Structure formats: C-alpha cells, structure tokens
Amino acid sequence: MSKIDLRKKIVQFTLEKKQLTGVTARVGIVLDISGSMRNLYARGVVQEVVERILAVASKFDDNGVLDVWVYDNEFSRMESVTERDFGDYVKRHILNNRSIHKFGFNNEPPVMEDVIRKYTKEEKKDKTPVFIIFINDGGVVRATKKVIKSAAVQPIFWQFVGIGNSDFEVLEGLDNMTGRVVDNADFVHLDRIEEVTDEELYDRLLNEFPHWLKAAKDKRILQP
C-alpha cells in the first residue's frame, strides 16, 4: 500500500472518530514562502506537508483535488494537486517556477482575499463548505484578524497551523476574537511538523471543523 493510501486510511479513521463521515468539502492549502521558510522548502518538509494534506482532500473532495496558494509579500494561486501528480509538486511548480515570488516578508490579507474570491465569487454556485489549511511560521500581520472577521459569513473555515517557534500572537488570539457570526478559524502550533505523526496531525487539524460545520448550518451560512 502506498504512503498516500495509508494516510487516507488514517484520515478515514479520524473522520469516523469526529463524526465527519459523509461530509463533502473543498480543501485548500496556503503555504508561507517567506524568507524564514527557506530551509523547510529545501529539506522537503513543505512537500511532505502538501502530501499529508492531500490525503485529507482525497477523503473530503469528490474529485480528490487540493487547491494550493503560496505567499510572502506577494501571492500566487497555484495549479491544484491530485494523487496523480503530487510527486515533487513543490519543486516542479513552486521552487523551479521563476514567476513565483519567494522568500520575501509575509503579508497574509492579500492571499486570504484571493482564497475568498475563488470560492465565493468565481465559484459561488458551488455551495460546498471549504476547509483551508494555512501554514505559517510566525509573524502574521494584525490585519489578518480583520479579514477573518469579515469572512465569518462565508462558507470557509480557516485552520491555521503555526510551525517553528516564532511569534504567533495574532493567531493565538483567534479563539477570543469577538464580533463574528460564527467562530470560523482555529490555530494549532506544531513546532516541528515533520516530527508529528499523521494520527496526531489529522486529529488536531480536524478538531474544530465539525463545530464550525454545525454552527454555520445553524446560522444558514451553509445549507442544512
């Protein structure tokens, strides 16, 4: 059995445990490519993250598609990835792509606005809930909170994942952020994500998503 198939089995077990079987969702990943991330790209950690999250998309999305964005002080909406073409995805589509701005400073709101634009304007006829995994290694700009707050009425859940040991003050304050129709974002800190087992990763990534699904349906953000 391939590694992706093994991971899909672990995802399935996690879905059953969290009563998420039968849930369909579009899945996207946003990857920090600011200067402090350079070593994680070079060591293949980011490629491994993409492969691990692809297993989630394969269970949630009917087409098994994982949408991808990268960002530093600029952003790029990338070609989506599937089980057919995930090998060396980061090297082929990101690191070797000269049109991608890399290793600058981080600025989250523009890429978040593009995520919102894709799912709520360009593809607004699709009412499927959206699960976004947002990988960041610290220093999120404070304006990120404003975007999250305004996006609370949208069918998008933001799962932020902090890696490394930098400053996550903005993301750590998400749970206490008021003024939203529903709590549409969560933050987990995984210092060395490459050392976290698949079981723990999926358990933590999918911890708050079920609560958001229920709340969003209660508020008619999602169809009951």
Side-chain angles (χ1 to χ4, degrees), residues 69-116:
W69 284 261
V70 295
Y71 82 99
D72 53 5
N73 48 297
E74 299 183 15
F75 73 86
S76 296
R77 190 191 300 185
M78 306 300 301
E79 183 175 323
S80 297
V81 60
T82 70
E83 290 183 48
R84 296 185 300 276
D85 57 8
F86 67 86
D88 287 331
Y89 176 88
V90 169
K91 182 178 180 181
R92 288 184 292 114
H93 292 282
I94 301 174
L95 295 179
N96 289 349
N97 188 340
R98 293 185 178 182
S99 69
I100 303 299
H101 199 272
K102 308 175 186 72
F103 309 127
F105 58 89
N106 60 295
N107 184 26
E108 288 74 24
V111 69
M112 294 177 71
E113 294 288 1
D114 192 61
V115 171
I116 294 167

Short mmCIF file of all heavy atoms in Angstrom, two decimals, residues 69-116:
data_model
loop_
_atom_site.label_atom_id
_atom_site.label_comp_id
_atom_site.label_asym_id
_atom_site.label_seq_id
_atom_site.Cartn_x
_atom_site.Cartn_y
_atom_site.Cartn_z
N TRP A 69 -2.15 27.69 -2.67
CA TRP A 69 -1.65 29.06 -2.78
C TRP A 69 -0.30 29.12 -2.08
O TRP A 69 -0.04 28.39 -1.12
CB TRP A 69 -2.57 30.05 -2.07
CG TRP A 69 -3.83 30.40 -2.76
CD1 TRP A 69 -4.09 31.52 -3.52
CD2 TRP A 69 -5.07 29.68 -2.74
NE1 TRP A 69 -5.39 31.52 -3.97
CE2 TRP A 69 -6.02 30.40 -3.50
CE3 TRP A 69 -5.47 28.47 -2.14
CZ2 TRP A 69 -7.32 29.96 -3.68
CZ3 TRP A 69 -6.76 28.03 -2.32
CH2 TRP A 69 -7.68 28.77 -3.09
N VAL A 70 0.58 30.02 -2.55
CA VAL A 70 1.80 30.36 -1.81
C VAL A 70 1.83 31.87 -1.65
O VAL A 70 1.27 32.62 -2.48
CB VAL A 70 3.08 29.87 -2.52
CG1 VAL A 70 3.12 28.36 -2.59
CG2 VAL A 70 3.21 30.47 -3.91
N TYR A 71 2.49 32.31 -0.59
CA TYR A 71 2.55 33.76 -0.39
C TYR A 71 3.77 34.16 0.44
O TYR A 71 4.25 33.40 1.28
CB TYR A 71 1.29 34.25 0.34
CG TYR A 71 1.34 34.05 1.83
CD1 TYR A 71 1.68 35.11 2.68
CD2 TYR A 71 1.09 32.81 2.41
CE1 TYR A 71 1.77 34.93 4.05
CE2 TYR A 71 1.16 32.63 3.77
CZ TYR A 71 1.51 33.69 4.59
OH TYR A 71 1.61 33.51 5.95
N ASP A 72 4.28 35.34 0.14
CA ASP A 72 5.16 36.08 1.04
C ASP A 72 4.57 37.49 1.08
O ASP A 72 3.45 37.65 1.55
CB ASP A 72 6.64 36.00 0.66
CG ASP A 72 6.93 36.40 -0.79
OD1 ASP A 72 6.00 36.84 -1.52
OD2 ASP A 72 8.09 36.30 -1.20
N ASN A 73 5.27 38.49 0.56
CA ASN A 73 4.63 39.81 0.42
C ASN A 73 3.83 39.91 -0.87
O ASN A 73 3.14 40.91 -1.11
CB ASN A 73 5.65 40.93 0.51
CG ASN A 73 6.87 40.71 -0.36
OD1 ASN A 73 7.62 39.75 -0.14
ND2 ASN A 73 7.09 41.59 -1.32
N GLU A 74 3.91 38.88 -1.70
CA GLU A 74 3.04 38.71 -2.86
C GLU A 74 2.40 37.33 -2.72
O GLU A 74 2.70 36.59 -1.78
CB GLU A 74 3.84 38.83 -4.16
CG GLU A 74 4.50 40.19 -4.34
CD GLU A 74 5.23 40.32 -5.67
OE1 GLU A 74 4.99 39.48 -6.57
OE2 GLU A 74 6.04 41.24 -5.81
N PHE A 75 1.51 36.97 -3.65
CA PHE A 75 0.93 35.63 -3.57
C PHE A 75 0.72 35.09 -4.98
O PHE A 75 0.67 35.83 -5.96
CB PHE A 75 -0.41 35.65 -2.82
CG PHE A 75 -1.56 36.26 -3.58
CD1 PHE A 75 -2.31 35.50 -4.45
CD2 PHE A 75 -1.86 37.61 -3.44
CE1 PHE A 75 -3.36 36.06 -5.18
CE2 PHE A 75 -2.90 38.18 -4.14
CZ PHE A 75 -3.66 37.41 -5.01
N SER A 76 0.60 33.76 -5.04
CA SER A 76 0.30 33.09 -6.31
C SER A 76 -0.71 31.99 -6.05
O SER A 76 -0.58 31.22 -5.09
CB SER A 76 1.56 32.47 -6.92
OG SER A 76 2.51 33.47 -7.27
N ARG A 77 -1.73 31.94 -6.90
CA ARG A 77 -2.67 30.82 -6.88
C ARG A 77 -2.08 29.76 -7.79
O ARG A 77 -1.93 29.96 -8.99
CB ARG A 77 -4.04 31.25 -7.35
CG ARG A 77 -5.12 30.18 -7.13
CD ARG A 77 -6.41 30.50 -7.83
NE ARG A 77 -7.03 31.76 -7.42
CZ ARG A 77 -8.21 32.17 -7.83
NH1 ARG A 77 -8.91 31.41 -8.69
NH2 ARG A 77 -8.71 33.33 -7.43
N MET A 78 -1.79 28.61 -7.23
CA MET A 78 -1.07 27.59 -7.96
C MET A 78 -2.00 26.61 -8.66
O MET A 78 -3.22 26.60 -8.45
CB MET A 78 -0.18 26.81 -6.98
CG MET A 78 0.76 27.66 -6.16
SD MET A 78 1.90 28.62 -7.17
CE MET A 78 2.72 27.31 -8.07
N GLU A 79 -1.40 25.77 -9.48
CA GLU A 79 -2.13 24.65 -10.07
C GLU A 79 -2.51 23.68 -8.96
O GLU A 79 -1.68 23.36 -8.08
CB GLU A 79 -1.23 23.96 -11.10
CG GLU A 79 -1.88 22.82 -11.84
CD GLU A 79 -0.96 22.26 -12.92
OE1 GLU A 79 -0.25 23.04 -13.57
OE2 GLU A 79 -0.98 21.02 -13.09
N SER A 80 -3.74 23.22 -8.95
CA SER A 80 -4.17 22.28 -7.92
C SER A 80 -3.41 20.96 -8.04
O SER A 80 -2.85 20.64 -9.10
CB SER A 80 -5.68 22.03 -8.05
OG SER A 80 -6.40 23.22 -7.84
N VAL A 81 -3.38 20.20 -6.95
CA VAL A 81 -2.64 18.95 -6.93
C VAL A 81 -3.60 17.80 -6.63
O VAL A 81 -4.58 17.97 -5.89
CB VAL A 81 -1.49 19.01 -5.90
CG1 VAL A 81 -2.01 19.26 -4.50
CG2 VAL A 81 -0.65 17.75 -5.93
N THR A 82 -3.34 16.65 -7.23
CA THR A 82 -4.14 15.45 -7.02
C THR A 82 -3.21 14.26 -6.77
O THR A 82 -1.98 14.39 -6.84
CB THR A 82 -5.04 15.13 -8.22
OG1 THR A 82 -4.21 14.70 -9.33
CG2 THR A 82 -5.85 16.35 -8.65
N GLU A 83 -3.80 13.12 -6.52
CA GLU A 83 -2.99 11.91 -6.31
C GLU A 83 -2.21 11.52 -7.56
O GLU A 83 -1.23 10.78 -7.48
CB GLU A 83 -3.89 10.74 -5.90
CG GLU A 83 -4.47 10.87 -4.50
CD GLU A 83 -5.28 9.65 -4.13
OE1 GLU A 83 -4.78 8.52 -4.33
OE2 GLU A 83 -6.41 9.81 -3.66
N ARG A 84 -2.63 12.01 -8.70
CA ARG A 84 -1.95 11.64 -9.96
C ARG A 84 -0.65 12.40 -10.17
O ARG A 84 0.20 11.96 -10.95
CB ARG A 84 -2.89 11.90 -11.14
CG ARG A 84 -4.14 11.05 -11.15
CD ARG A 84 -4.95 11.27 -12.41
NE ARG A 84 -5.37 12.66 -12.55
CZ ARG A 84 -6.45 13.18 -11.98
NH1 ARG A 84 -7.21 12.42 -11.22
NH2 ARG A 84 -6.77 14.44 -12.17
N ASP A 85 -0.50 13.55 -9.49
CA ASP A 85 0.64 14.41 -9.84
C ASP A 85 1.30 15.09 -8.65
O ASP A 85 1.88 16.16 -8.79
CB ASP A 85 0.20 15.48 -10.85
CG ASP A 85 -0.96 16.32 -10.33
OD1 ASP A 85 -1.31 16.19 -9.15
OD2 ASP A 85 -1.51 17.12 -11.11
N PHE A 86 1.23 14.47 -7.47
CA PHE A 86 1.77 15.14 -6.28
C PHE A 86 3.28 14.97 -6.12
O PHE A 86 3.92 15.71 -5.37
CB PHE A 86 1.06 14.65 -5.01
CG PHE A 86 1.33 13.22 -4.65
CD1 PHE A 86 2.43 12.87 -3.90
CD2 PHE A 86 0.46 12.21 -5.06
CE1 PHE A 86 2.68 11.55 -3.56
CE2 PHE A 86 0.69 10.89 -4.73
CZ PHE A 86 1.81 10.56 -3.96
N GLY A 87 3.87 14.01 -6.80
CA GLY A 87 5.31 13.79 -6.66
C GLY A 87 6.11 15.01 -7.09
O GLY A 87 5.92 15.53 -8.18
N ASP A 88 7.01 15.48 -6.22
CA ASP A 88 7.85 16.65 -6.49
C ASP A 88 7.04 17.89 -6.85
O ASP A 88 7.52 18.77 -7.57
CB ASP A 88 8.85 16.36 -7.63
CG ASP A 88 9.97 15.43 -7.18
OD1 ASP A 88 10.31 15.45 -5.98
OD2 ASP A 88 10.49 14.69 -8.03
N TYR A 89 5.80 17.97 -6.35
CA TYR A 89 4.95 19.12 -6.69
C TYR A 89 5.61 20.44 -6.31
O TYR A 89 5.64 21.39 -7.10
CB TYR A 89 3.60 19.00 -5.97
CG TYR A 89 2.70 20.20 -6.18
CD1 TYR A 89 1.83 20.27 -7.27
CD2 TYR A 89 2.74 21.29 -5.31
CE1 TYR A 89 1.03 21.38 -7.48
CE2 TYR A 89 1.93 22.40 -5.51
CZ TYR A 89 1.08 22.45 -6.59
OH TYR A 89 0.30 23.55 -6.80
N VAL A 90 6.15 20.52 -5.10
CA VAL A 90 6.75 21.78 -4.62
C VAL A 90 7.95 22.17 -5.47
O VAL A 90 8.09 23.33 -5.85
CB VAL A 90 7.13 21.65 -3.13
CG1 VAL A 90 7.99 22.83 -2.68
CG2 VAL A 90 5.88 21.56 -2.27
N LYS A 91 8.78 21.22 -5.79
CA LYS A 91 9.96 21.52 -6.61
C LYS A 91 9.56 21.96 -8.01
O LYS A 91 10.06 22.96 -8.55
CB LYS A 91 10.87 20.29 -6.68
CG LYS A 91 12.15 20.52 -7.47
CD LYS A 91 13.02 19.28 -7.46
CE LYS A 91 14.31 19.50 -8.25
NZ LYS A 91 15.16 18.28 -8.24
N ARG A 92 8.64 21.21 -8.62
CA ARG A 92 8.26 21.48 -10.01
C ARG A 92 7.46 22.76 -10.17
O ARG A 92 7.72 23.56 -11.07
CB ARG A 92 7.44 20.30 -10.57
CG ARG A 92 8.25 19.05 -10.85
CD ARG A 92 7.43 17.96 -11.49
NE ARG A 92 6.42 17.42 -10.58
CZ ARG A 92 5.11 17.55 -10.76
NH1 ARG A 92 4.64 18.21 -11.81
NH2 ARG A 92 4.26 17.02 -9.90
N HIS A 93 6.48 22.97 -9.30
CA HIS A 93 5.53 24.06 -9.50
C HIS A 93 5.84 25.32 -8.70
O HIS A 93 5.33 26.40 -9.04
CB HIS A 93 4.11 23.59 -9.16
CG HIS A 93 3.58 22.58 -10.11
ND1 HIS A 93 3.07 22.91 -11.35
CD2 HIS A 93 3.49 21.22 -10.01
CE1 HIS A 93 2.67 21.81 -11.97
NE2 HIS A 93 2.92 20.77 -11.19
N ILE A 94 6.67 25.19 -7.67
CA ILE A 94 6.95 26.36 -6.83
C ILE A 94 8.42 26.76 -6.90
O ILE A 94 8.76 27.85 -7.39
CB ILE A 94 6.53 26.09 -5.37
CG1 ILE A 94 5.03 25.77 -5.30
CG2 ILE A 94 6.86 27.30 -4.48
CD1 ILE A 94 4.54 25.34 -3.92
N LEU A 95 9.31 25.89 -6.44
CA LEU A 95 10.72 26.27 -6.37
C LEU A 95 11.34 26.51 -7.74
O LEU A 95 12.17 27.41 -7.91
CB LEU A 95 11.51 25.20 -5.61
CG LEU A 95 11.14 25.03 -4.13
CD1 LEU A 95 11.97 23.91 -3.50
CD2 LEU A 95 11.32 26.34 -3.37
N ASN A 96 10.96 25.73 -8.73
CA ASN A 96 11.52 25.89 -10.07
C ASN A 96 10.72 26.85 -10.95
O ASN A 96 11.02 27.00 -12.13
CB ASN A 96 11.62 24.54 -10.77
CG ASN A 96 12.69 23.65 -10.18
OD1 ASN A 96 13.51 24.10 -9.38
ND2 ASN A 96 12.72 22.38 -10.57
N ASN A 97 9.72 27.48 -10.38
CA ASN A 97 8.85 28.40 -11.13
C ASN A 97 9.33 29.83 -10.90
O ASN A 97 9.14 30.40 -9.82
CB ASN A 97 7.41 28.23 -10.66
CG ASN A 97 6.43 29.00 -11.52
OD1 ASN A 97 6.80 29.94 -12.23
ND2 ASN A 97 5.16 28.62 -11.45
N ARG A 98 9.93 30.43 -11.92
CA ARG A 98 10.51 31.76 -11.76
C ARG A 98 9.46 32.86 -11.62
O ARG A 98 9.78 33.98 -11.19
CB ARG A 98 11.41 32.06 -12.96
CG ARG A 98 12.65 31.18 -13.03
CD ARG A 98 13.57 31.60 -14.17
NE ARG A 98 14.78 30.77 -14.22
CZ ARG A 98 15.76 30.95 -15.09
NH1 ARG A 98 15.66 31.94 -16.00
NH2 ARG A 98 16.83 30.17 -15.07
N SER A 99 8.23 32.56 -11.96
CA SER A 99 7.18 33.58 -11.84
C SER A 99 6.65 33.70 -10.41
O SER A 99 5.91 34.63 -10.11
CB SER A 99 6.03 33.25 -12.79
OG SER A 99 5.33 32.09 -12.37
N ILE A 100 7.05 32.78 -9.53
CA ILE A 100 6.59 32.80 -8.14
C ILE A 100 7.52 33.66 -7.31
O ILE A 100 8.73 33.43 -7.28
CB ILE A 100 6.55 31.37 -7.54
CG1 ILE A 100 5.67 30.45 -8.38
CG2 ILE A 100 6.07 31.41 -6.09
CD1 ILE A 100 4.25 30.86 -8.47
N HIS A 101 6.96 34.65 -6.62
CA HIS A 101 7.76 35.47 -5.71
C HIS A 101 8.06 34.65 -4.47
O HIS A 101 7.17 34.08 -3.86
CB HIS A 101 6.99 36.74 -5.34
CG HIS A 101 7.85 37.82 -4.79
ND1 HIS A 101 8.16 37.93 -3.45
CD2 HIS A 101 8.50 38.85 -5.41
CE1 HIS A 101 8.94 38.98 -3.26
NE2 HIS A 101 9.16 39.55 -4.43
N LYS A 102 9.34 34.60 -4.06
CA LYS A 102 9.75 33.71 -2.98
C LYS A 102 10.64 34.42 -1.97
O LYS A 102 11.43 35.29 -2.32
CB LYS A 102 10.53 32.50 -3.52
CG LYS A 102 9.88 31.73 -4.63
CD LYS A 102 10.83 30.65 -5.15
CE LYS A 102 10.29 29.95 -6.36
NZ LYS A 102 10.31 30.80 -7.56
N PHE A 103 10.50 34.00 -0.72
CA PHE A 103 11.43 34.32 0.36
C PHE A 103 11.54 35.81 0.66
O PHE A 103 12.61 36.31 1.02
CB PHE A 103 12.80 33.70 0.06
CG PHE A 103 12.72 32.24 -0.29
CD1 PHE A 103 13.29 31.74 -1.46
CD2 PHE A 103 12.04 31.35 0.54
CE1 PHE A 103 13.19 30.39 -1.79
CE2 PHE A 103 11.93 30.00 0.22
CZ PHE A 103 12.51 29.52 -0.94
N GLY A 104 10.40 36.50 0.53
CA GLY A 104 10.32 37.89 0.95
C GLY A 104 9.79 37.95 2.38
O GLY A 104 10.00 37.03 3.18
N PHE A 105 9.05 39.02 2.69
CA PHE A 105 8.42 39.11 4.01
C PHE A 105 6.96 38.68 3.87
O PHE A 105 6.42 38.59 2.78
CB PHE A 105 8.53 40.54 4.57
CG PHE A 105 7.92 41.60 3.69
CD1 PHE A 105 6.58 41.95 3.83
CD2 PHE A 105 8.69 42.27 2.74
CE1 PHE A 105 6.01 42.94 3.03
CE2 PHE A 105 8.12 43.26 1.94
CZ PHE A 105 6.79 43.58 2.07
N ASN A 106 6.30 38.39 5.00
CA ASN A 106 4.94 37.83 4.92
C ASN A 106 3.88 38.92 5.02
O ASN A 106 4.02 39.90 5.75
CB ASN A 106 4.71 36.78 6.00
CG ASN A 106 4.87 37.31 7.40
OD1 ASN A 106 5.98 37.70 7.77
ND2 ASN A 106 3.80 37.32 8.17
N ASN A 107 2.80 38.72 4.25
CA ASN A 107 1.63 39.61 4.27
C ASN A 107 0.42 38.75 3.92
O ASN A 107 0.19 38.42 2.75
CB ASN A 107 1.80 40.75 3.28
CG ASN A 107 0.66 41.74 3.34
OD1 ASN A 107 0.01 41.87 4.37
ND2 ASN A 107 0.40 42.42 2.24
N GLU A 108 -0.37 38.40 4.94
CA GLU A 108 -1.43 37.42 4.78
C GLU A 108 -2.71 37.91 4.09
O GLU A 108 -3.30 37.15 3.30
CB GLU A 108 -1.79 36.82 6.15
CG GLU A 108 -0.75 35.87 6.72
CD GLU A 108 0.49 36.57 7.25
OE1 GLU A 108 0.39 37.77 7.61
OE2 GLU A 108 1.55 35.92 7.30
N PRO A 109 -3.22 39.12 4.36
CA PRO A 109 -4.52 39.51 3.81
C PRO A 109 -4.70 39.36 2.31
O PRO A 109 -5.75 38.87 1.87
CB PRO A 109 -4.67 40.97 4.28
CG PRO A 109 -3.95 40.99 5.59
CD PRO A 109 -2.74 40.12 5.37
N PRO A 110 -3.73 39.73 1.46
CA PRO A 110 -3.97 39.59 0.01
C PRO A 110 -4.24 38.16 -0.43
O PRO A 110 -5.13 37.92 -1.25
CB PRO A 110 -2.68 40.14 -0.62
CG PRO A 110 -2.15 41.12 0.39
CD PRO A 110 -2.46 40.48 1.71
N VAL A 111 -3.49 37.20 0.09
CA VAL A 111 -3.73 35.80 -0.32
C VAL A 111 -5.05 35.31 0.26
O VAL A 111 -5.79 34.56 -0.41
CB VAL A 111 -2.55 34.88 0.08
CG1 VAL A 111 -2.45 34.69 1.59
CG2 VAL A 111 -2.69 33.53 -0.61
N MET A 112 -5.41 35.75 1.45
CA MET A 112 -6.69 35.35 2.03
C MET A 112 -7.85 35.90 1.20
O MET A 112 -8.85 35.21 0.98
CB MET A 112 -6.78 35.84 3.47
CG MET A 112 -5.78 35.17 4.39
SD MET A 112 -5.83 35.83 6.08
CE MET A 112 -7.41 35.17 6.63
N GLU A 113 -7.71 37.13 0.74
CA GLU A 113 -8.76 37.72 -0.10
C GLU A 113 -8.90 36.94 -1.41
O GLU A 113 -10.01 36.80 -1.94
CB GLU A 113 -8.44 39.19 -0.39
CG GLU A 113 -8.48 40.10 0.83
CD GLU A 113 -9.89 40.35 1.35
OE1 GLU A 113 -10.86 39.80 0.78
OE2 GLU A 113 -10.02 41.08 2.35
N ASP A 114 -7.79 36.42 -1.93
CA ASP A 114 -7.88 35.63 -3.17
C ASP A 114 -8.56 34.29 -2.91
O ASP A 114 -9.32 33.80 -3.76
CB ASP A 114 -6.48 35.41 -3.76
CG ASP A 114 -6.56 34.86 -5.18
OD1 ASP A 114 -7.13 35.57 -6.05
OD2 ASP A 114 -6.10 33.74 -5.42
N VAL A 115 -8.30 33.69 -1.75
CA VAL A 115 -9.00 32.46 -1.39
C VAL A 115 -10.51 32.72 -1.34
O VAL A 115 -11.30 31.96 -1.91
CB VAL A 115 -8.50 31.94 -0.02
CG1 VAL A 115 -9.38 30.80 0.48
CG2 VAL A 115 -7.04 31.48 -0.10
N ILE A 116 -10.89 33.79 -0.68
CA ILE A 116 -12.30 34.15 -0.58
C ILE A 116 -12.90 34.41 -1.96
O ILE A 116 -14.01 33.97 -2.27
CB ILE A 116 -12.47 35.38 0.34
CG1 ILE A 116 -12.06 35.03 1.76
CG2 ILE A 116 -13.91 35.89 0.30
CD1 ILE A 116 -11.89 36.23 2.68
#
